[in-house]
Amino acid sequence: MGFRFNDRALGLLAFLLFVSTAYAEIPKQAGSPSAESDQDAIRHPDASEGYRFLTQQALLPSDFNQRTVDQVWQSWPEPLRSRAESATVAQRRRMIFQRYGLTPRPEHLADDGADPGKPLQYVVSENGDWTMNCFSCHGGSVYGVPTPGAPNNRFALQTMTEEIRSTKFRIGEPLTRMDFGSLVVPLGTTHGTTNAVVFGMGLMHFRDADLNVLDRPPASFTNHDMDAPPWWHFYKRPYLYIDGFAEKGHRGLMQFTLVPENGPDFYRQNEDHFKDVYAYLSSLRPPKYPHPVDSDLARRGKLIFNQNCSNCHGTYGHRTDAEAIAAYPNEMIPIDEIGTDPVRHEALGVAGRTKYADSWFANVGQADHQATIVDPAGYVAPPLDGVWASAPYFHNGSVPTLWHVLHPDRRPAVWRRTKIDLDESKVGLTVETTDRVPLEHPDVAVRRTYFDTRRLGKSALGHSYPDMLTEAEKDAVLEYLKTM
């Protein structure tokens, strides 16, 4: 069952997006650099500064404070609430991280039982305000190892927002736009997926070409879940987004800060910082497969892969970055041919893509107007660097393992992750399959761990090319995919 706006919901969304800040203490210029950021300094893009900026500078209004976080466990169902009540403060915070898909920052990894500190996914200010950052979706755990740039396949944004809102009601904290907006706009129906289209189709609708905020009726668009791509593909890909419609650039990365508090001055003042972010993303590379690989089988798999898969996904091996980039074909596959879920392709229409093309994001200068494809034919086949580490698969996260990618007829209709470990035999998430989502389960967080491929935008169909391979050939390709 999908979610589409009706007129009443559209009107409510418009109200929520532009509601008076009387409901919350929101700074007038959220995300403006502090004096310490040395805004007027001229410097070359710096990857380490890009990471620092994302983890230390709030670019959006704060979502909640530390007091709310420390009491959110009281909104949990039993028996989890009782376990949290009897836990130490440090143990309770680790339970909070576990429930919502948060991870410690790699530079501050705590020992078991210790306080996990600040999460990678949020900027936490000195006075305890929590503000979501880009790592919420793009900073996950690779089978238990916190990894900036990895898709956050456990992020429970909808559940977290609901339970934070309930806690605020109980303790008297003011509600924020996220608390109101999540009542209308679904933030993700399955843990690990998010409704990213709201940035491009929802918030961009309220801007002119120079990013001035417009007072206008909201646009209607189809909400759907997306699986975040790994950032270690960034250096190879010449575009942003899975349909390749927007040429890659530092300005395009700023689109995800389009809240009304961030006016045109915010984007011009922070542009140099996003050059640092661009440099940081460009510096990322995938983790290496940590388990033994059958080298003979992998060599056979490489030959089969190069004969059958490389035209779309490229070739791989020991080479310089420039050679690796050149070996990636950036091939767009027509939607009817690829056969994967078409909702993402249809949700961003020509008008929405054209609005982006005409905006400040794509117009870097007279000599550097970025290319925009306003009517892409389908999806672009992604690079496969570190593919073992980026489960689940497909743009909507509908396929749990690489074995299931290679066996289209064996993909489960409903599945859920059962533990954090890598399934070494199938290379991907360790899952169980079932006939349906247990809607009678009392914990909504548990219900949202189930992925139902029969829902709108969540189909696991398509990419049937592996059907041309024999079972032995599939085994060899699967072994080779571990080496990328």
Side-chain angles (χ1 to χ4, degrees):
M1 181 177 179
F3 185 101
R4 292 177 185 270
F5 282 116
N6 55 32
D7 291 341
R8 182 178 179 183
L10 283 170
L12 182 56
L13 174 61
F15 169 77
L16 295 174
L17 287 172
F18 294 94
V19 68
S20 166
T21 55
Y23 290 105
E25 298 177 3
I26 300 175
K28 291 185 178 180
Q29 292 203 321
S32 297
S34 64
E36 292 145 9
S37 65
D38 196 12
Q39 179 64 29
D40 297 327
I42 298 176
R43 49 182 168 72
H44 295 291
D46 182 339
S48 61
E49 176 64 16
Y51 176 81
R52 186 211 65 80
F53 182 69
L54 290 179
T55 55
Q56 297 184 27
Q57 180 65 52
L59 302 175
L60 303 170
S62 174
D63 297 315
F64 43 83
N65 59 28
Q66 189 66 51
R67 176 172 178 250
T68 305
V69 173
D70 288 341
Q71 299 193 50
V72 71
W73 62 271
Q74 297 181 38
S75 296
W76 294 351
E78 291 290 2
L80 189 62
R81 184 169 64 246
S82 293
R83 290 204 296 269
E85 185 175 17
S86 62
T88 66
V89 171
Q91 290 170 340
R92 195 178 294 148
R93 288 183 177 172
R94 293 183 72 86
M95 293 173 70
I96 291 169
F97 276 44
Q98 172 68 25
R99 183 166 177 83
Y100 301 131
L102 308 179
T103 65
R105 299 181 182 185
E107 66 271 27
H108 296 135
L109 284 178
D111 296 329
D112 288 344
D115 193 309
K118 295 180 180 180
L120 176 65
Q121 295 78 15
Y122 282 80
V123 174
V124 182
S125 69
E126 291 184 1
N127 63 354
D129 289 329
W130 284 47
T131 305
M132 185 185 299
N133 64 27
C134 297
F135 289 113
S136 292
C137 296
H138 297 279
S141 169
V142 176
Y143 305 109
V145 180
T147 306
N152 191 354
N153 57 28
R154 293 183 54 256
F155 191 36
L157 180 58
Q158 182 74 38
T159 301
M160 184 179 189
T161 302
E162 290 169 354
E163 294 177 348
I164 286 288
R165 181 172 60 233
S166 176
T167 303
K168 288 179 178 179
F169 272 123
R170 189 178 62 255
I171 66 177
E173 288 288 340
L175 301 182
T176 64
R177 181 173 288 108
M178 181 73 84
D179 300 312
F180 289 110
S182 61
L183 295 170
V184 177
V185 180
L187 305 178
T189 59
T190 304
H191 291 174
T193 63
T194 51
N195 182 14
V197 73
V198 72
F199 294 100
M201 295 301 294
L203 298 179
M204 188 68 191
H205 174 75
F206 294 99
R207 301 285 177 144
D208 65 14
D210 294 321
L211 304 186
N212 295 297
V213 178
L214 302 175
D215 183 8
R216 61 190 306 189
S220 178
F221 57 91
T222 303
N223 289 275
H224 59 281
D225 293 346
M226 290 284 293
D227 177 46
W231 268 352
W232 56 70
H233 288 170
F234 188 82
Y235 86 104
K236 272 191 177 181
R237 298 166 75 169
Y239 57 86
L240 300 173
Y241 312 118
I242 64 163
D243 55 10
F245 90 90
E247 184 180 347
K248 183 170 68 177
H250 67 276
R251 285 189 177 182
L253 299 175
M254 303 176 78
Q255 188 179 5
F256 293 89
T257 63
L258 275 173
V259 293
E261 289 79 8
N262 291 338
D265 288 346
F266 167 89
Y267 294 95
R268 289 152 182 81
Q269 291 169 2
N270 282 285
E271 185 171 7
D272 280 348
H273 291 287
F274 273 85
K275 292 177 182 177
D276 293 334
V277 173
Y278 185 101
Y280 170 68
L281 267 61
S282 299
S283 73
L284 295 176
R285 297 296 182 271
K288 294 186 181 299
Y289 187 75
H291 303 291
V293 174
D294 184 328
S295 56
D296 290 336
L297 186 60
R299 276 194 291 270
R300 292 198 296 274
K302 180 176 182 178
L303 293 175
I304 297 165
F305 179 93
N306 287 343
Q307 291 168 356
N308 295 277
C309 312
S310 61
N311 284 344
C312 294
H313 291 288
T315 56
Y316 301 82
H318 299 290
R319 48 176 64 129
T320 65
D321 284 349
E323 291 169 336
I325 292 170
Y328 170 59
N330 189 39
E331 186 74 15
M332 183 178 292
I333 314 300
I335 191 67
D336 291 338
E337 178 184 334
I338 188 67
T340 52
D341 194 291
V343 170
R344 165 62 175 76
H345 180 256
E346 297 165 355
L348 269 69
V350 172
R353 292 186 176 98
T354 300
K355 187 172 181 63
Y356 177 89
D358 293 339
S359 76
W360 180 86
F361 292 126
N363 290 277
V364 179
Q366 292 293 331
D368 194 14
H369 182 92
Q370 294 184 325
T372 306
I373 304 172
V374 299
D375 191 15
Y379 300 137
V380 177
L384 298 181
D385 308 72
V387 67
W388 71 272
S390 60
Y393 302 103
F394 291 4
H395 67 275
N396 56 5
S398 60
V399 181
T401 73
L402 290 175
W403 186 91
H404 288 105
V405 172
L406 294 169
H407 293 81
D409 61 334
R410 303 288 297 277
R411 295 170 191 161
V414 183
W415 57 268
R416 72 181 291 257
R417 189 175 189 172
T418 56
K419 56 182 179 179
I420 203 168
D421 306 69
L422 169 72
D423 182 333
E424 293 186 49
S425 63
K426 288 185 168 63
V427 190
L429 306 182
T430 301
V431 301
E432 66 177 7
T433 62
T434 183
D435 294 332
R436 64 182 185 88
V437 177
L439 298 178
E440 69 279 3
H441 197 286
D443 190 348
V444 67
V446 172
R447 299 198 299 270
R448 288 178 179 147
T449 62
Y450 287 82
F451 196 107
D452 188 343
T453 65
R454 299 166 298 192
R455 298 187 64 179
L456 178 74
K458 302 175 83 70
S459 171
L461 298 176
H463 196 274
S464 59
Y465 310 113
D467 284 341
M468 69 182 68
L469 303 178
T470 67
E471 195 63 30
E473 289 173 330
K474 291 179 183 180
D475 289 343
V477 170
L478 183 62
E479 197 70 11
Y480 174 55
L481 292 174
K482 299 175 183 178
T483 69
M484 291 181 173

